[in-house]
Amino acid sequence: MVDYYKEHARLYVSIDCIVLGFDEGKLKLLIGHRKMDPGRGEWSLYGDFVNEDESLDDSASRVLYELTGMKDIYLKQVGAYGEVNRDPGERVISVAYLSLINVNDYDEELRRQFDLHWVAVDQLPKLYGDHNEMVSNAVSMLRRRIAYEPLSFNLLPEMFTLTQLQRVYEAILGHEIDKRNFRKRIKQMPFIEKTGSIDRKTSKRGAAQYRFNKEMYDL
Amino acid sequence: MVDYYKEHARLYVSIDCIVLGFDEGKLKLLIGHRKMDPGRGEWSLYGDFVNEDESLDDSASRVLYELTGMKDIYLKQVGAYGEVNRDPGERVISVAYLSLINVNDYDEELRRQFDLHWVAVDQLPKLYGDHNEMVSNAVSMLRRRIAYEPLSFNLLPEMFTLTQLQRVYEAILGHEIDKRNFRKRIKQMPFIEKTGSIDRKTSKRGAAQYRFNKEMYDL
DNA sequence: CCAAAAGTGTTCCGTCTACACCCATGG
DNA sequence: CCATGGGTGTAGACGGAACACTTTTGG
């Protein structure tokens, strides 16, 4: 195979995953301590370099799988970050991806093994390089999109109560929502269907459990 | 300097510029015939490889400057494209940038010299690689953003009439807008200021000319 | 029996939409 | 004098925001 472009520079390209979860009523980010030089020990997003033979999306899926053991997760590109000195080590272009997971589906073993921590997004420490900027852009993106797309489900178990769903919206938007208005809005969405079952854990009275019906949404 | 990441792959990284202009009542894209192999002669966006010592944004500015001789132009990242075979030549990651220019500011000489053509975005030919996808994402982005940000000005001369402005909105949104409602909305924007002057070219009666006041907008 | 969460409608206000006629002037 | 584009206001529809009480039951 001819190398058509050989006179041009080749750069390192990496993926950084912004993994968000919902826990204790707050939006939380999965971060760890950097395992390589430079910056070893600093708080950092989890990431890896892109291989020759994988697409950016595939690479992001792989990184997330290595990290969480989870597949078929919501994953969306946030953007490419390319300041010359953004990484203290070398010139690296990084493509940030946002992923939304349900913290309960995520194996605690794996979390400890990778030494990862859930930290509230509004109380983040300084992260490695430009990672804080990536996170803040990812959260802005999530806020914008949640008005149009049903994304909150990715942060919840398969079955959830309307109150749980409301807490997720509140955590993402950063303000309280009126219960009656919220429920009115949700009832208009045909893809949120009431299951027969009742959750008796969260209240004495018990709350109806709902489910996101993907088929209904895709219509 | 130590190469911390030397065991990892390095990839070609390029910029592709989606240059949009407004002409003859339509939104138009600047495209040319590809000047290198593979795909020589195919319709293509204008782009170039990212150098070692320039950021992605700087690289996009440079590409646009080489192409149009224009600086300080609206330029916004659309996203990174990284399918393994997206470029028929080699594995190349490309970062797409949207730019909006006023076609009258753009030198006709330069256009001919680079053999570039303005083509209506709703009548585009098949472009090289995944360039059609980039354009369609860029146009979607523009449509979404125009509702919140005053971007239309970038497509017009410094002074413009309200009818011209309306035509730009219509071209971007793809549908007609009621004249009175449009003017009502515009009057609420303090950063669109009436200049004293009157344009007598577009109508017999003459139309008031307006201007975008950036200082006012930045407040 | 009471604390704690679930569930439920109505009114108001601001925003968006539809819609038709007069004005000024160059040719 | 008339064709052409510039300029203006009002009424109805719609969607979002504010707001308070009843229900159920585990402890």
Side-chain angles (χ1 to χ4, degrees):
Chain A
M1 191 178 180
V2 194
D3 187 341
Y4 290 104
Y5 308 139
K6 57 176 174 259
E7 72 269 30
H8 297 289
R10 287 167 176 255
L11 307 175
Y12 293 116
V13 179
S14 70
I15 298 290
D16 282 302
C17 268
I18 293 132
V19 182
L20 297 180
F22 176 72
D23 192 30
E24 296 173 325
K26 289 188 163 181
L27 198 58
K28 299 205 173 174
L29 174 68
L30 198 59
I31 52 177
H33 295 286
R34 196 171 145 89
K35 296 286 177 296
M36 58 169 103
D37 284 313
R40 189 182 293 270
E42 286 183 38
W43 284 109
S44 164
L45 293 174
Y46 190 84
D48 198 2
F49 290 89
V50 175
N51 296 324
E52 289 265 17
D53 60 349
E54 64 183 358
S55 71
L56 291 174
D57 288 356
D58 288 346
S59 186
S61 297
R62 171 177 61 80
V63 170
L64 189 67
Y65 179 69
E66 285 170 3
L67 184 65
T68 63
M70 290 157 76
K71 290 190 174 179
D72 296 320
I73 295 294
Y74 177 84
L75 204 51
K76 192 99 187 169
Q77 190 187 115
V78 175
Y81 293 75
E83 289 303 311
V84 175
N85 296 310
R86 54 168 294 281
D87 186 300
E90 290 285 334
R91 204 310 164 66
V92 180
I93 305 294
S94 187
V95 182
Y97 276 80
L98 167 64
S99 73
L100 303 175
I101 73 171
N102 169 18
V103 294
N104 302 320
D105 290 351
Y106 176 33
D107 189 358
E108 268 295 290
E109 271 317 303
L110 220 48
R111 189 183 67 70
R112 275 194 220 98
Q113 185 185 319
F114 277 95
D115 181 34
L116 290 166
H117 303 261
W118 287 110
V119 181
V121 290
D122 51 6
Q123 287 165 29
L124 291 182
K126 167 77 185 83
L127 304 176
Y128 180 75
D130 55 2
H131 289 188
N132 288 88
E133 189 191 342
M134 291 179 182
V135 174
S136 117
N137 290 340
V139 172
S140 303
M141 189 171 102
L142 177 58
R143 266 186 205 141
R144 259 180 290 118
R145 288 186 179 259
I146 200 180
Y148 307 105
E149 268 179 279
L151 299 177
S152 315
F153 310 104
N154 298 295
L155 296 166
L156 289 170
E158 204 198 326
M159 306 247 278
F160 50 84
T161 69
L162 292 181
T163 303
Q164 288 175 314
L165 186 61
Q166 186 178 340
R167 297 287 170 264
V168 172
Y169 272 85
E170 289 172 338
I172 293 174
L173 295 171
H175 61 80
E176 297 195 349
I177 304 173
D178 179 86
K179 184 164 53 153
R180 279 172 294 185
N181 292 337
F182 179 76
R183 290 163 108 97
K184 217 186 306 167
R185 244 168 65 210
I186 298 295
K187 291 229 171 86
Q188 286 165 8
M189 305 180 182
F191 48 85
I192 303 186
E193 51 179 28
K194 202 171 192 164
T195 67
S197 53
I198 302 222
D199 177 3
R200 305 212 154 271
K201 282 187 286 286
T202 56
S203 87
K204 297 174 180 176
R205 176 174 174 178
Q209 288 188 304
Y210 289 74
R211 175 171 43 197
F212 173 59
N213 184 328
K214 190 163 181 349
E215 289 69 44
M216 205 69 96
Y217 178 67
D218 288 338
L219 290 183
Chain B
M1 189 177 182
V2 194
D3 186 342
Y4 290 103
Y5 308 137
K6 60 176 172 256
E7 72 270 27
H8 298 288
R10 286 167 176 256
L11 307 175
Y12 292 117
V13 180
S14 70
I15 298 290
D16 283 301
C17 269
I18 293 131
V19 182
L20 297 180
F22 176 72
D23 191 31
E24 297 172 325
K26 288 188 165 184
L27 197 58
K28 299 203 174 177
L29 173 69
L30 198 58
I31 52 178
H33 294 286
R34 195 171 146 90
K35 296 286 178 296
M36 58 169 103
D37 285 313
R40 188 182 295 268
E42 286 182 38
W43 284 109
S44 164
L45 294 173
Y46 190 84
D48 197 2
F49 289 89
V50 175
N51 296 325
E52 289 265 17
D53 60 348
E54 65 183 356
S55 71
L56 291 174
D57 288 355
D58 288 347
S59 186
S61 298
R62 170 178 60 80
V63 170
L64 189 67
Y65 179 70
E66 287 171 7
L67 184 65
T68 63
M70 291 156 75
K71 288 190 176 184
D72 297 321
I73 294 295
Y74 177 83
L75 205 51
K76 191 97 186 171
Q77 189 188 114
V78 175
Y81 293 75
E83 289 304 311
V84 175
N85 295 310
R86 56 167 293 284
D87 186 299
E90 289 284 334
R91 204 303 162 73
V92 181
I93 306 293
S94 186
V95 183
Y97 277 79
L98 167 64
S99 73
L100 303 175
I101 74 171
N102 169 17
V103 295
N104 302 320
D105 290 352
Y106 177 34
D107 188 358
E108 268 294 292
E109 271 318 304
L110 218 47
R111 190 184 65 71
R112 273 194 223 98
Q113 184 185 318
F114 278 95
D115 181 34
L116 290 167
H117 302 261
W118 288 109
V119 180
V121 290
D122 51 6
Q123 287 164 27
L124 291 182
K126 167 76 185 85
L127 305 176
Y128 180 74
D130 55 1
H131 289 186
N132 289 85
E133 189 191 343
M134 293 180 179
V135 173
S136 117
N137 289 340
V139 172
S140 303
M141 189 172 102
L142 177 58
R143 266 187 205 142
R144 257 180 292 121
R145 288 187 180 259
I146 199 179
Y148 307 104
E149 268 177 280
L151 299 177
S152 314
F153 310 105
N154 298 295
L155 296 166
L156 288 170
E158 204 197 326
M159 306 247 278
F160 49 85
T161 69
L162 291 183
T163 302
Q164 288 175 313
L165 186 60
Q166 185 178 339
R167 297 285 170 264
V168 173
Y169 272 85
E170 289 173 338
I172 293 174
L173 295 172
H175 62 79
E176 297 196 350
I177 304 174
D178 178 88
K179 182 162 57 156
R180 279 172 293 185
N181 292 338
F182 179 76
R183 290 163 110 97
K184 217 185 307 167
R185 244 168 63 209
I186 297 295
K187 290 227 171 88
Q188 286 165 7
M189 305 180 183
F191 48 85
I192 302 188
E193 50 178 30
K194 201 171 193 163
T195 68
S197 53
I198 301 220
D199 176 4
R200 303 213 157 272
K201 282 187 285 287
T202 56
S203 86
K204 297 174 180 176
R205 176 175 174 176
Q209 288 187 305
Y210 289 76
R211 174 167 48 195
F212 174 59
N213 184 327
K214 191 165 179 350
E215 289 69 42
M216 204 69 95
Y217 178 67
D218 289 339
L219 290 183

